[in-house]
Amino acid sequence: MRILGISAFYHDSAAALVEDGRVVAAAQEERFTRKKHDSAFPHHAAAFCLREAGTDLSGIDDVVFYDKPFLKFERLLETYVAMAPKGFKSFRMAMPVWMKEKLFQKSMLRDDLKTLPGGRAWNGELLFAEHHQSHAASAFFPSPFSEAAVLTMDGVGEWCTTSLGVGHDNELKILKEIHFPHSLGLLYSAFTYYTGFKVNSGEYKVMGLAPYGEPKFVQTILDHLIDLKPDGSFRLDQSYFDYCTGLTMTNERFATLFGGPPRRPEQRLTQREMDLAASIQAVTEEAVLRLARSIAAETGQRNLCLAGGVALNCVANGKLLREGVFERIWIQPAAGDAGGALGAALAACHQFKNQPRLPLNGHIDQMAGSYLGPAFSPAETAADLQAAGARFTVVSDDEVITRTADALAAGRAVGWMQGRMEFGPRALGARSIIADARSPAMQKLLNLKVKYRESFRPFAPSVLREDVADWFELATDSPYMLLVADVVAGRRRQMTAEEQALFGIDKLNVQRSEIPAVTHVDYSARVQTVHKETNPRYHALISAFKARTGCPVIVNTSFNVRGEPIVCTPADAFRCFMGTEIEVLVVGNYILEKDDQDPALKRDYKDAFELD
């Protein structure tokens, strides 16, 4: 049985294909269209999934959409009616779109499906899962657990913003829900907006900014914005927000509470924004901990699965792990709306069609390392690079590892494109920019001259799984870069009294450990453990780097510049290579040196994409 899952029309549209319970392929549309967070119907992603399965749409039994548009419209309408006449301007803008398109989404989807290969011959069933059902299914069914508690948290689906459930074999039951307008995700997004970042895009910047600040506003948030109960349930005071009926996330009362108007995008960051980030991060962590404790006590489960946009908050995830509320935690790598496509397909497979789950294989999950996107053959790679005007050398498998490890040890930034593209927001060693984590200058260099992004943003380490406990306070798998852990004390550098007295962004240039390029200002790091079973070439590369340097840790950041989706094709990789100060590009077995390239192909890449 083949099932195609679709998420679209809000942000991060995607497609995923499941065959007899096995995840065959999954990808976000943005990677193909090169439009960040593309929300359009995922024509390219769906066509890729069909190719990967060796079929066209006529060979698909069911297509499943990741939420229910009528329920979402019901929520929108009820919200406007409840708050009338406030929000009439927003209502007037939203209604024509809903009346013209969204209420007829089923027929729109059928029309879109007809444009796919084999679409006109398809006579399967078009199904709809609920939004948080899709999130929960994406969390539990691919996990390595036969049974687990399941927690999903995001902005909002139809009505639900938070759900607590239990999965057992091929069954998944939702036990409790928190409904709109009370939303942990929307609360965090309100602070994303207020601190000057883009909602549904910049939340991870708030998380990265938090360690530069002091959580001075925690009590203000708890006293005025959120009534957080001991069991983790909560209510938000809507008099401070404008997201229900307005055109912004917060209002003047919110601004008065925090002492001024929202920061304008790209305006200089001040200590206030850093303190606000630290404060909302602390409140989010406390809410997640209380929810987790509550579901653990209620269900007696020792395993926890997480999904929804809030599950991408790897700092909160790391704190939850350290608290020991659950013995094991598994987080869906595509935890946001893109992963809803996969969840919808899995919900149809196991819940609607009652198909059994695949046999469990120890600690190995069913996500194949999240390497579920397209790969390119040597012939396709060569043709793509030649068409772009690239000059390259073809080398053996062993030489790929040798030359790349030498480049890293020499302090060079390397574009690394290998195998199948990652599904989800993180680069995991298939579409990555990699570098030496021991370099004190690397974080600044990569931010300013390669990624063209804000200097405060941290980089993640890729570390051999077998060596992780020697470098980080982490004794478990973290293959998807969704857990934050501290650098172990023995690898840290003692700071001087003057350095310890620094505040805010002045902390940035202080070297804190043996691996300063991946050590955040609070000694933390967003860790990716690299496993031989899921990415043998990346594992071999880091092993070779370790043999040269004694260090099994390298910098891993996504292969793109600010505002650009992660590269998909060899041509994408070459364009990014020529538009940045990446010095070496390795695509499959093809190695490209910047000095060998035609200078006329260099691009002004810094302003090529809309800022995120």
Side-chain angles (χ1 to χ4, degrees), residues 53 97 116 153 275 353 425:
V97 177
L116 295 175
M153 303 164 288
D275 293 342
K353 304 296 182 179

Side-chain angles (χ1 to χ4, degrees), residues 75 130 155-156 158-162 176-183 234-236 238 243:
R75 185 250 299 167
E130 288 194 22
V156 61
E158 296 88 2
W159 280 104
C160 183
T161 67
T162 303
K176 292 182 177 180
E177 294 182 344
I178 298 173
H179 284 181
F180 182 86
H182 310 292
S183 166
F234 54 86
R235 292 182 66 82
L236 303 186
Q238 290 302 307
Y243 58 75

Side-chain angles (χ1 to χ4, degrees), residues 332-343:
Q332 166 55 240
D337 276 11
L342 175 59

Side-chain angles (χ1 to χ4, degrees), residues 379-392 570-571 574-575 601:
E380 290 170 328
T381 300
D384 221 19
L385 292 174
Q386 286 168 346
R391 297 167 182 167
F392 53 83
F574 182 70
R575 281 192 294 272
L601 295 177

Side-chain angles (χ1 to χ4, degrees), residues 135-431:
H135 277 321
S138 79
F140 176 63
F141 291 126
S143 78
F145 308 139
S146 61
E147 58 180 355
V150 182
L151 176 59
T152 71
M153 303 164 288
D154 68 359
V156 61
E158 296 88 2
W159 280 104
C160 183
T161 67
T162 303
S163 77
L164 294 84
V166 173
H168 181 77
D169 291 334
N170 69 338
E171 296 180 356
L172 177 58
K173 294 180 180 178
I174 304 300
L175 304 178
K176 292 182 177 180
E177 294 182 344
I178 298 173
H179 284 181
F180 182 86
H182 310 292
S183 166
L184 200 57
L186 290 175
L187 175 64
Y188 205 93
S189 291
F191 280 86
T192 302
Y193 163 79
Y194 188 69
T195 52
F197 302 115
K198 189 177 289 187
V199 172
N200 292 326
S201 173
E203 283 76 9
Y204 60 94
K205 298 185 187 182
V206 176
M207 183 180 67
L209 189 63
Y212 292 97
E214 300 292 330
K216 295 178 179 179
F217 299 103
V218 166
Q219 201 57 49
T220 303
I221 295 170
L222 293 173
D223 287 345
H224 295 275
L225 302 186
I226 181 170
D227 179 12
L228 181 61
K229 303 298 185 185
D231 66 354
S233 61
F234 54 86
R235 292 182 66 82
L236 303 186
D237 185 340
Q238 290 302 307
S239 67
Y240 291 94
F241 302 97
D242 208 25
Y243 58 75
C244 280
T245 55
L247 302 176
T248 59
M249 293 299 297
T250 64
N251 59 23
E252 289 184 7
R253 193 171 187 212
F254 189 105
T256 300
L257 183 65
F258 294 107
R263 170 182 168 260
R264 294 192 304 274
E266 308 308 313
Q267 188 178 9
R268 181 181 175 87
L269 284 163
T270 70
Q271 191 63 44
R272 184 184 71 142
E273 283 80 43
M274 298 172 201
D275 293 342
L276 286 164
S279 301
I280 188 56
Q281 179 63 35
V283 170
T284 300
E285 291 167 12
E286 183 59 28
V288 171
L289 279 171
R290 291 188 190 185
L291 284 166
R293 291 189 193 110
S294 174
I295 193 173
E298 185 169 337
T299 66
Q301 294 292 329
R302 302 308 305 151
N303 302 316
L304 176 67
C305 299
L306 295 170
V310 177
L312 293 172
N313 193 308
C314 50
V315 179
N317 296 341
K319 189 166 185 177
L320 178 58
L321 179 69
R322 290 191 297 276
E323 286 283 318
V325 180
F326 289 90
E327 291 176 5
R328 295 175 65 193
I329 297 174
W330 190 84
I331 308 152
Q332 166 55 240
D337 276 11
L342 175 59
L346 290 167
C349 176
H350 300 301
Q351 295 183 276
F352 301 171
K353 304 296 182 179
N354 200 32
Q355 295 292 303
R357 290 174 73 193
L358 297 177
L360 297 179
N361 182 21
H363 285 235
I364 305 298
D365 61 44
Q366 302 293 340
M367 290 297 293
S370 210
Y371 305 112
L372 296 167
F376 297 87
S377 69
E380 290 170 328
T381 300
D384 221 19
L385 292 174
Q386 286 168 346
R391 297 167 182 167
F392 53 83
T393 304
V394 187
V395 301
S396 67
D397 290 347
D398 289 343
E399 200 170 352
V400 167
I401 302 302
T402 299
R403 288 184 56 173
T404 307
D406 288 343
L408 293 173
R412 306 176 80 192
V414 177
W416 176 258
M417 176 179 164
Q418 302 290 329
R420 295 186 69 174
M421 182 178 67
E422 303 91 338
F423 180 51
R426 307 286 181 235
L428 301 169
R431 304 289 187 277

Side-chain angles (χ1 to χ4, degrees), residues 34-36 451 560-565 609-612:
R34 313 309 299 154
K35 180 183 177 183
K36 188 87 166 175
K451 300 284 283 188
N560 61 333
V561 298
R562 183 182 173 193
E564 179 191 20
F609 298 92
E610 181 183 348
L611 295 180
D612 61 4

Side-chain angles (χ1 to χ4, degrees), residues 535-564:
N535 198 332
R537 180 168 278 200
Y538 196 41
H539 188 278
L541 172 62
I542 301 173
S543 297
F545 180 77
K546 178 186 177 184
R548 285 158 176 73
T549 65
C551 179
V553 184
I554 63 172
V555 178
N556 175 11
T557 187
S558 55
F559 198 161
N560 61 333
V561 298
R562 183 182 173 193
E564 179 191 20

